[in-house]
Amino acid sequence: MKRSRQREAVVAVLARQGRVLVIRRGPGARAAGYWAPLSGTIEAGESQADALVREVREEVGLEVTPLAKVWECPTEDGSFLLHWWTASFDDTPLALDPDEVSEARWVTAEEFAELHPTFDGDRPFFDDVLPTLGLVVPEGPGRQQDHADESA
């Protein structure tokens, strides 16, 4: 039996005002309707950082600068190895590719936990890794919240 090789993909961790950008995958994407951070397959000859820049630009129209790889994990079915990267980004409005992205939201880890459906494999990132990165601030009394959704 021929064993298929695990493919590689990048996941964009984009944080703004204590929240992380997640998307509802569009009709042309794998697992349409699922909520997840931006992600995409690394193409042949492409670095992780280059794939991150390309995927974010294609899916939501932001120009990003990769900062650091912060985590990696396999997908639930083991077909992909996901490389999670933080990145800085420009302050332009999101321009969603309707085939790839149905909706976009800036969410806290707690708000992400309320979205359905999501990939079980994303939970450890939001629960265990994200709090260690210093990208988000905990919600609490007296903190101004930005609950605005952004869509095309």
Side-chain angles (χ1 to χ4, degrees):
M1 177 191 288
K2 185 176 182 180
R3 194 164 188 217
S4 62
R5 194 177 142 239
Q6 187 177 47
R7 298 175 68 192
E8 296 188 73
V10 291
V11 179
V13 180
L14 305 179
R16 178 184 82 178
Q17 297 176 350
R19 297 171 179 276
V20 175
L21 181 63
V22 297
I23 62 164
R24 181 186 296 259
R25 291 172 172 225
R30 276 187 213 100
Y34 272 69
W35 286 97
L38 293 161
S39 63
T41 304
I42 299 172
E43 296 179 354
E46 191 174 43
S47 70
Q48 292 176 24
D50 289 342
L52 186 77
V53 170
R54 177 184 51 76
E55 286 291 344
V56 174
R57 181 185 306 125
E58 288 175 0
E59 293 184 13
V60 297
L62 293 178
E63 293 298 325
V64 299
T65 301
L67 298 175
K69 180 178 170 179
V70 294
W71 194 49
E72 72 178 35
C73 67
T75 54
E76 293 165 39
D77 65 4
S79 62
F80 283 90
L81 178 62
L82 303 177
H83 303 278
W84 296 67
W85 279 75
T86 58
S88 62
F89 53 95
D90 60 11
D91 197 24
T92 60
L94 299 179
L96 308 183
D97 174 343
D99 195 45
E100 295 285 328
V101 180
S102 294
E103 190 177 347
R105 293 183 186 176
W106 297 92
V107 300
T108 64
E110 294 80 13
E111 290 166 340
F112 182 76
E114 299 299 317
L115 296 174
H116 298 284
T118 59
F119 298 104
D120 290 341
D122 289 351
R123 294 295 327 145
F125 175 79
F126 281 89
D127 292 343
D128 303 327
V129 179
L130 185 59
T132 70
L133 300 179
L135 300 174
V136 297
V137 293
E139 289 191 38
R143 293 198 185 273
Q144 183 177 8
Q145 301 302 312
D146 174 17
H147 291 280
D149 290 359
E150 297 200 26
S151 56

